[in-house]
């Protein structure tokens, strides 16, 4: 959609990478279209490097509704104080629309927008509607989903939902057009082990021991790239060296798109951003959900892929070296299963999610303008361009 003037889009996102990364990708898409963006986040979100460069950002006090009575009362006080601050921000510069990506830092922005009569869109990254989004969903104009089947979605808001997918970086989305890397007994078997932005101790504990249990001819075929916490790198490296397995370790993988391109199998957690990238790239995975995730949403995320045949889910209590070794050995003997799971993952992928969500933002903002007498003439002159987006099953 092309407007007679650029939109000002406020993005409210919590401080975790799962909220901030797709919000950043969407901001890039909107800015490419000529729109202006402002960010509302907390200290954690503002501290994540490499995101929202050149975007005017407003840092709010963070809070959460877990803990004892005093903690909850303190969080409520901070939310109320932040609502007042956001209202003052909007009085100086009123956005056309506010897009909330979940997390409690998005609460004051969404509430202030509703009080000011500003159009609002909520985006849910996971297969379980987050707690903040549950609180805000009834007041939002539209709720954008990443999964067709989303748990804890109030029946009263189902009519205003749209599945857009979860935005991924362009470097990842272009992998949808790349073929699955050649695999067979005469080729390397490349494993990528990732555990979120800082790695996961369980993966450092289990994966090297599991691979060391494999028969020698299979170990010689392995090429492992593993993300580890800094304190785990030395011992994991020593374990791979003892097992004579080729492995490259890093605390942060800057070239993730290139790694994914050549990977045959990913082992990792099942956060929303990870799964969005795996499905966009069409890569099979063994998923180990984080058991303490809110509402156990990582297990639900992983089950969506596993039930479709795009991944294998191993609950953390069952994630032992012996169990993992059996899985990998079986898949190595039947490489066609990996290729098939990769195709299934690609069938679920939404590489155009950022464009789809940006279209929704534009359309929702213009729908609000049509009800504003001061802006009706401007809104009626817009040029509406539709894109066809890939639909997925879950």
């Amino acid at each position: 959609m092309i407007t007679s003037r650029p939109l000002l889009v406020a993005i409210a996102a919590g401080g975790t990478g799962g909220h901030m990364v797709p919000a950043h990708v969407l901001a890039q898409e909107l800015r490419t279209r000529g729109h202006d963006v402002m960010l509302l986040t907390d200290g954690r979100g503002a501290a994540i490097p490499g995101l929202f460069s050149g975007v005017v950002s407003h840092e709010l006090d963070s809070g959460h509704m877990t803990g004892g009575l005093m903690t909850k009362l303190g969080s409520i006080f901070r939310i109320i104080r932040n609502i007042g601050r956001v209202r003052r921000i909007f009085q100086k510069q009123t956005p056309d629309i506010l897009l909330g990506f979940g997390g409690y830092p998005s609460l004051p922005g969404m509430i202030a927008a509703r009080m000011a009569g500003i159009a609002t869109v909520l985006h849910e990254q996971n297969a379980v509607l987050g707690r903040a989004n549950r609180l805000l969903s009834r007041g939002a104009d539209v709720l954008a989903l990443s999964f067709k089947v989303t748990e804890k979605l109030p029946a009263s808001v189902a009519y205003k939902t749209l599945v857009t997918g979860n935005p991924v970086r362009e470097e990842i989305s272009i992998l949808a057009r790349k073929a699955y890397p050649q695999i067979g007994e005469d080729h390397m078997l490349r494993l990528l082990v990732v555990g979120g932005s800082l790695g996961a101790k369980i993966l450092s504990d289990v994966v090297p021991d599991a691979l060391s249990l494999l028969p020698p001819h299979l170990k010689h075929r392995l090429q492992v790239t593993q993300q580890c916490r800094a304190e785990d790198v030395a011992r994991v490296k020593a374990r791979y060296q003892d097992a004579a397995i080729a492995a490259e370790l890093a605390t942060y993988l800057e070239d993730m798109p290139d790694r994914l391109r050549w990977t045959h199998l990913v082992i990792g957690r099942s956060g929303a951003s990870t799964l969005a990238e795996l499905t966009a790239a069409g890569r099979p995975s063994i998923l180990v959900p984080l058991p303490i995730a809110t509402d156990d949403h990582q297990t639900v995320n992983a089950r969506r892929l596993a039930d479709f045949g795009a991944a294998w889910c191993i609950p953390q209590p069952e994630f032992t070296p012996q169990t993992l070794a059996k899985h990998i050995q079986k898949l190595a003997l039947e490489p066609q299963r990996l290729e098939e799971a990769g195709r299934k993952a690609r069938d679920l992928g939404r590489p155009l999610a950022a464009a789809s969500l940006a279209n929704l933002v534009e359309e929702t903002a213009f729908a609000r303008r049509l009800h504003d007498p001061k802006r009706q003439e401007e809104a009626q002159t817009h040029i509406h361009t539709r894109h066809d987006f890939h639909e997925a099953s879950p």
Side-chain angles (χ1 to χ4, degrees):
M1 182 182 293
I2 302 173
T3 68
S4 54
R5 71 167 178 82
L7 297 172
L8 174 59
V9 182
I11 293 179
T16 67
H19 297 306
M20 294 295 292
V21 171
H24 167 74
V25 174
L26 188 275
Q28 288 182 309
E29 174 68 21
L30 290 169
R31 295 178 74 191
T32 298
R33 298 183 182 201
H35 302 307
D36 297 316
V37 175
M38 71 164 66
L39 172 67
L40 305 172
T41 189
D42 61 2
R44 294 179 304 158
I48 298 176
L51 302 184
F52 288 94
S53 176
V55 172
V56 175
S57 300
H58 301 278
E59 187 175 326
L60 308 176
D61 296 334
S62 60
H64 52 82
M65 299 303 290
T66 57
L69 177 61
M70 295 306 296
T71 300
K72 292 180 180 178
L73 288 175
S75 296
I76 291 172
F77 174 76
R78 282 192 293 271
I79 289 171
I80 293 173
R81 184 173 59 191
N82 284 331
I83 291 172
R85 184 182 174 197
V86 175
R87 293 192 71 183
R88 291 190 293 275
I89 292 171
F90 287 172
Q91 286 171 356
K92 295 179 181 179
Q93 192 175 24
T94 305
D96 294 277
I97 188 168
L98 185 135
L99 178 59
F101 274 83
Y104 280 102
S106 71
L107 275 168
M110 294 294 292
I111 293 172
R114 295 297 298 175
M115 294 173 71
I118 296 168
T120 57
V121 173
L122 282 175
H123 182 269
E124 178 56 57
Q125 298 89 55
N126 292 292
V128 180
L129 194 65
R131 293 178 182 179
N133 280 350
R134 270 176 259 164
L135 291 173
L136 298 166
S137 60
R138 289 178 176 82
D141 291 86
V142 186
L143 180 57
L145 305 176
S146 299
F147 294 83
K148 283 187 177 180
V149 179
T150 302
E151 295 188 4
K152 297 188 181 296
L153 180 71
S156 60
V157 304
Y159 74 96
K160 57 180 178 182
T161 62
L162 182 70
V163 180
T164 61
N166 195 17
V168 297
R169 295 169 289 168
E170 183 180 3
E171 300 92 333
I172 297 291
S173 66
I174 62 176
L175 295 179
R177 301 191 295 269
K178 305 293 184 181
Y180 183 81
Q182 191 172 12
I183 187 173
E185 292 186 5
D186 297 331
H187 295 86
M188 298 297 294
L189 177 59
R190 300 183 186 89
L191 306 182
L192 176 62
V193 185
V194 292
S197 58
L198 297 176
K201 184 177 183 298
I202 187 68
L203 299 179
S204 295
D205 291 343
V206 172
V207 176
D209 286 352
L211 300 184
S212 69
L213 296 175
L214 297 174
H217 73 276
L218 182 50
K219 285 195 290 187
H220 292 328
R221 289 179 54 205
L222 293 178
Q223 190 173 67
V224 182
T225 300
Q226 182 160 349
Q227 179 194 28
C228 302
R229 301 186 308 174
E231 59 267 33
D232 294 331
V233 170
R235 68 177 178 87
V236 173
K237 182 178 181 180
R239 189 71 182 94
Y240 280 127
Q241 287 177 340
D242 290 343
I245 294 173
E248 180 181 354
L249 309 179
T251 56
Y252 180 73
L253 299 174
E254 295 184 358
D255 55 347
M256 182 64 77
D258 199 49
R259 302 285 186 178
L260 271 179
R261 178 178 180 180
W262 297 107
T263 291
H264 295 108
L265 176 66
V266 176
I267 304 171
R269 293 298 197 187
S270 49
S273 292
T274 296
L275 300 196
E277 292 186 347
L278 292 180
T279 54
R283 291 298 178 268
S285 55
I286 293 175
L287 302 173
V288 187
L290 177 68
I292 62 172
T294 305
D295 295 319
D296 200 20
H297 68 259
Q298 285 208 9
T299 295
V300 181
N301 290 350
R303 288 298 178 193
R304 291 285 185 272
L305 269 66
D307 290 347
F308 197 70
W312 295 269
C313 178
I314 304 178
Q316 184 161 308
E318 302 171 20
F319 187 64
T320 65
Q322 294 75 19
T323 298
L324 180 60
K326 290 178 181 177
H327 271 272
I328 293 176
Q329 186 169 6
K330 187 173 183 180
L331 291 172
L333 293 173
E334 303 176 47
Q336 69 277 8
R337 295 183 64 200
L338 286 172
E339 294 186 68
E340 177 62 22
R343 285 192 292 270
K344 292 283 189 178
R346 181 168 283 134
D347 288 343
L348 298 181
R350 292 177 180 271
L352 300 179
S356 181
L357 187 55
N359 280 358
L360 178 61
V361 168
E362 290 177 332
E363 292 167 5
T364 305
F366 258 101
R368 181 59 59 88
R369 284 188 186 180
L370 285 170
H371 291 86
D372 184 345
K374 297 179 182 180
R375 295 178 174 177
Q376 281 183 0
E377 182 177 352
E378 176 187 4
Q380 289 168 355
T381 63
H382 76 277
I383 302 173
H384 187 187
T385 303
R386 264 299 198 184
H387 300 274
D388 292 325
F389 294 100
H390 179 67
E391 288 295 330
S393 298

